[in-house]
Structure formats: C-alpha cells, structure tokens
C-alpha cells in the first residue's frame, strides 16, 4: 500500500447514488406490498416442475452443463400476477432470465452505507454455486440461478423426504443457498419460505432469527444419511460493528471465503438487484477479486457484459438500466446480433469516466457474444466495483474507519444529551 493511501481519510468522496437508492428501496418496500404467499407457492412449484429437454436425462446429484435448456410448466396457477402467468410458458434464455430474477441479487459495495454499524449485518460469503433449495412433496430440489437443475435429493427439511411426515405441497420450504463443492454442503444465506409460511415481507433481522431457530431443529445441519443426502450449514452472521466486521473478515471458516456479504437489517427479501444487500471483496478474503478468464487468469483489461437493445444501445441489468454506448446498426446486421443478446466488451485502461457516480464516457471494444447460459448483463455496481479495484479500491480500512467515526459521533450525541 502506498504511503499516501495510508493517510487517506475514510470519508471517500461520493462516487455513486447507491445510498440514495438504499433509502428509496426501504421506502418502496413499505408501499409495494407483494402477494408473497402466492408468489412463494408458485416459485416452489416452478423449481420442482421445470422440465429438461426430452432428449436429456434427469440429473441427480451431479453437476449439469450450464448450457442445459429447460421449459417452465404451468401447473394449477390461478389469477396470479401477469409476469408469473407468462413465466409458466417461457423457454430457454427468457426462462433463465425470469428464474434468476427470483433471487435477491446483492449489489457490489461501491460506497459505504450510512449507519453501517447500526443497521447492517455482515457475514463471510461462502464460495460456490448460488441456488434455490426447495423441499416439497417428499423431495428436495436445488436449482442454480439460471434455473438449471443442480441436485434432486432427500433432506431433513420440511416435506424434504418421504419419511418426513406431511408431504403436502402446503409444507414447502424455500432456502437461498450457496453450494460449497469441497464439503458438499449447502450454506444457507437466507430463508424465503418455511413450512408454507412466506418470509418475503419479513425483515432480514426476522428472517435470520427464524433461520437460526428453525433449521437446526429439523436435523438439516446433521451429517448426511440415507434420508438426508446433503448437509446444510449456517454461516455466522454478525452485527456490523468493529468486532463483527473483524471476525467475519479474519476468523477462519469451514468453507472457502469469497468476500463479505452485508444485509440491511430492515430489508425485505427483494427479488432482483437490491442496494439493501451488498457484496465486497479484497485479496485477503477472496481468491477472485479482479475478474478472470476461464483458466483463472486475471484479464489484462476489464471486461463487461452488456445487453443489446432494439435501438442498438448497450445497457446494464439495472432497473432502470444504465446506458454504456451504442452499436452501429450496420455492424449489428453484419454480425448477426439480435435485440436481447448479451455481448462482451473490453474496457481500455481508464476507459470509464464517472462524475458523481454518473457514467460520462465509456471506451469499450466488442469481443463476442456472452456465454448463452448467462441470464443477465452486468450490473452498474459490478462494473464500477471492478473499475475501482483496478484503480482506487474501497479497502477494509475504510470500512473500519467508517464504523469508528459513527461510534465517535454516537458518543458525542450521548454526551450532549446527558449535558442537557
């Protein structure tokens, strides 16, 4: 670390509108009341009923190809939201995109949240495959974020095995997990539904309380057995104060770490990208901080994946999307590109210029179409995080300094109140 970086104050200049969007998300979740119970029931049914192509075999306890296509099957869905009815008929790329939107996708931390030590949890993020795990009707199914079947197995989750009492579809369970291949364990990072009770509209504080109290009771954290094929485990969740951040960052874990996850305590389970859940990495807590190629080698230049729009514009996966450029229509026709394609671009050194968190200029060069198993373009926060890592990273010292500063301010306020 260069000497001038050691003296850098923790209060970095505002580089994004991430805090503003965090505030708006908290307000919006109180206004937009989702029919959570029906949505959870439909998602559970969909996870169990996604069908692979007729010429492929059902995959059980193996690692399927990410290229695998599937079809969503409509099964007794009545009067649900329009996007849910349509999702039951989607195939291929569109189905993958719909399914991926059902997960809560953390943004990358590009600025430090206000009240980090008061309103946030932190945990060491397990390395592995992000997936939904659903138990219902005497079986348990896990699917990757693109909908591909990962495992079908018996478990000790409610209605997760034939010997687990009531196998009614009303007793389904939905967990947000990361599958850690080295120890064949599902690390549960969130709970979406438990025994038919939806937790979409519950705060993270409540969801984590239920997760800790309910999962161990079922025996799902016990070693594998005949009726419990894979073990489940809970990463330790800390309050994001000095002690909690230090423990999550430095303490050894039973799994390989892949950065830190931060959850706003008041946030509901919001599907899609959300600034109320954040991921942060550095070289001390993640093997892969800067994006790498398929061989694990760091790329000479930053690469981004953008979505091609009908007018040739190139955008991120955010809502609303951020525009990074525009392709010439003649080039689009000659290259055989189509609206909705995900395209890979390289970014020249210093090729992204931002002002107050807004993109001013992007010097990008087309490489190729992205892997067809991919569901989304990159988010704006991921692109910015990768840009910052290469040029001016947000460091762990900045996070600790922010917490210290907040504690000092709290003490000053308390002293003033006592003096009054």
């Amino acid at each position: 670390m260069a000497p001038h970086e050691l003296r850098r104050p923790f209060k970095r200049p505002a580089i994004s509108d991430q805090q503003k969007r965090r505030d708006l998300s908290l307000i919006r979740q109180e206004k937009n009341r989702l029919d959570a119970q029906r949505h959870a029931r439909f998602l559970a049914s969909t996870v169990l009923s996604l069908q692979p192509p007729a010429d492929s075999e059902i995959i059980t306890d193996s690692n399927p190809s990410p290229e695998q296509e599937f079809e969503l099957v409509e099964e007794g869905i009545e009067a649900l939201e329009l996007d849910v009815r349509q999702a039951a008929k989607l195939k291929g790329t569109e189905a993958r995109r719909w399914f991926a939107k059902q997960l809560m996708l953390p943004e990358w931390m590009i600025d430090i949240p206000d009240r980090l030590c008061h309103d946030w949890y932190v945990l060491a993020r397990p390395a592995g495959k992000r997936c939904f795990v659903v138990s219902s009707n005497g079986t348990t199914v896990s699917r990757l974020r693109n909908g591909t079947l990962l495992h079908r197995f018996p478990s000790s989750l409610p209605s997760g095995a034939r010997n687990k009492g009531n196998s009614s579809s009303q007793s389904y369970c939905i967990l947000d997990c990361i599958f850690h291949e080295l120890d064949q364990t599902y690390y549960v990072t969130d709970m979406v539904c438990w025994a038919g009770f939806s937790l979409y509209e519950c705060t993270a504080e409540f969801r984590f309380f239920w997760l800790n109290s309910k999962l161990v009771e079922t025996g799902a954290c016990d070693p594998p057995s005949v009726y419990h094929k894979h073990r489940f485990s809970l990463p330790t969740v800390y309050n994001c104060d000095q002690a909690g951040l230090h423990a999550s960052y430095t303490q050894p874990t039973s799994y390989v770490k892949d950065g830190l996850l931060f959850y706003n305590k008041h946030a509901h389970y919001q599907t899609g990208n959300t600034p109320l859940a954040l991921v942060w990495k550095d070289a001390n807590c993640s093997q892969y901080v800067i994006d790498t190629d398929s061989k694990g080698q760091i790329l000479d230049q930053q690469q981004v994946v953008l979505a091609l729009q009908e007018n040739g514009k190139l955008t991120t996966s955010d809502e609303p999307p951020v525009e990074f450029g525009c392709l010439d229509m003649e080039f689009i026709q000659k290259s055989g590109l189509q609206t909705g394609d995900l395209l890979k671009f390289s970014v020249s050194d210093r090729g992204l210029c931002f002002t107050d968190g807004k993109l001013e200029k992007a010097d990008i060069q087309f490489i190729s179409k992205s892997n067809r198993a991919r569901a989304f373009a990159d988010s704006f926060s991921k692109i910015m995080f990768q840009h910052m890592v290469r040029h001016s990273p947000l460091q762990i010292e900045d996070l600790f300094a922010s917490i210290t500063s907040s504690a000092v301010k709290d003490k000053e306020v308390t002293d003033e109140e006592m003096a009054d």
Side-chain angles (χ1 to χ4, degrees), residues 93-94 97 305-310 313-315 327 332 335-345 366 368-372 374-377:
T93 301
E94 291 303 318
R97 290 176 182 173
V305 175
L306 302 170
L308 179 63
Q309 304 301 326
E310 188 174 0
K313 292 182 178 179
L314 302 165
T315 61
L327 287 182
I332 293 174
S335 303
L337 303 178
Q338 297 181 350
T339 299
D341 282 348
L342 299 181
L343 309 179
K344 187 185 299 184
F345 296 84
F366 176 70
S368 65
K369 285 187 178 182
S370 180
N371 188 304
R372 61 194 291 260
R374 187 176 180 125
F376 286 119

Side-chain angles (χ1 to χ4, degrees), residues 361-393:
K361 185 185 76 171
D363 182 8
I364 57 178
Q365 298 293 322
F366 176 70
I367 299 176
S368 65
K369 285 187 178 182
S370 180
N371 188 304
R372 61 194 291 260
R374 187 176 180 125
F376 286 119
D378 285 335
S379 66
F380 179 72
S381 66
K382 179 184 178 182
I383 294 171
M384 279 203 68
F385 186 88
Q386 285 296 315
H387 179 76
M388 289 165 57
V389 164
R390 290 172 178 268
H391 301 288
S392 179

Side-chain angles (χ1 to χ4, degrees), residues 19 43 54 99 120 184 206 234 373 408:
Q19 180 58 44
L43 179 58
F99 194 90
W120 292 78
Q184 293 289 294
F206 181 83
L234 294 169
V408 170

Side-chain angles (χ1 to χ4, degrees), residues 44-51 71-73 75 143:
S45 174
T46 302
V47 169
L48 294 170
S49 63
L50 291 179
Q51 298 298 314
E71 179 178 357
L72 286 167
V73 178
E75 194 174 69
R143 289 190 183 273

Side-chain angles (χ1 to χ4, degrees), residues 158-228:
S159 294
R162 293 297 179 187
N163 69 325
K164 295 299 290 183
N166 181 17
S167 62
S168 167
S169 60
Q170 301 301 316
S171 298
Y172 61 90
C173 175
I174 307 175
L175 300 178
D176 188 340
C177 301
I178 295 175
F179 181 67
H180 189 255
E181 293 194 56
L182 290 179
D183 58 5
Q184 293 289 294
T185 297
Y186 283 94
Y187 287 90
V188 186
T189 57
D190 214 329
M191 178 184 285
V192 182
C193 182
W194 188 260
F197 176 70
S198 170
L199 286 90
Y200 274 102
E201 294 183 333
C202 298
T203 64
E205 193 169 22
F206 181 83
R207 297 198 308 274
F208 288 154
F209 168 76
W210 259 51
L211 190 54
N212 278 279
S213 61
K214 297 293 184 182
L215 194 66
V216 176
E217 292 177 4
T218 66
C221 297
D222 294 344
S225 62
V226 175
Y227 295 105
H228 184 60

Side-chain angles (χ1 to χ4, degrees), residues 298-355:
I298 293 177
L299 301 167
D300 293 333
Q301 293 184 321
Q302 181 180 355
Q303 292 185 1
V304 299
V305 175
L306 302 170
L308 179 63
Q309 304 301 326
E310 188 174 0
N311 53 10
K313 292 182 178 179
L314 302 165
T315 61
T316 64
S317 61
D318 303 275
E319 292 293 342
V322 178
E323 183 182 340
F324 266 70
C326 186
L327 287 182
D328 181 75
M329 297 307 293
E330 183 178 352
F331 174 80
I332 293 174
Q333 293 175 356
K334 286 184 178 180
S335 303
L337 303 178
Q338 297 181 350
T339 299
D341 282 348
L342 299 181
L343 309 179
K344 187 185 299 184
F345 296 84
S346 63
V347 181
S348 64
D349 190 43
R350 305 287 177 178
L352 300 179
C353 297
F354 303 94
T355 301

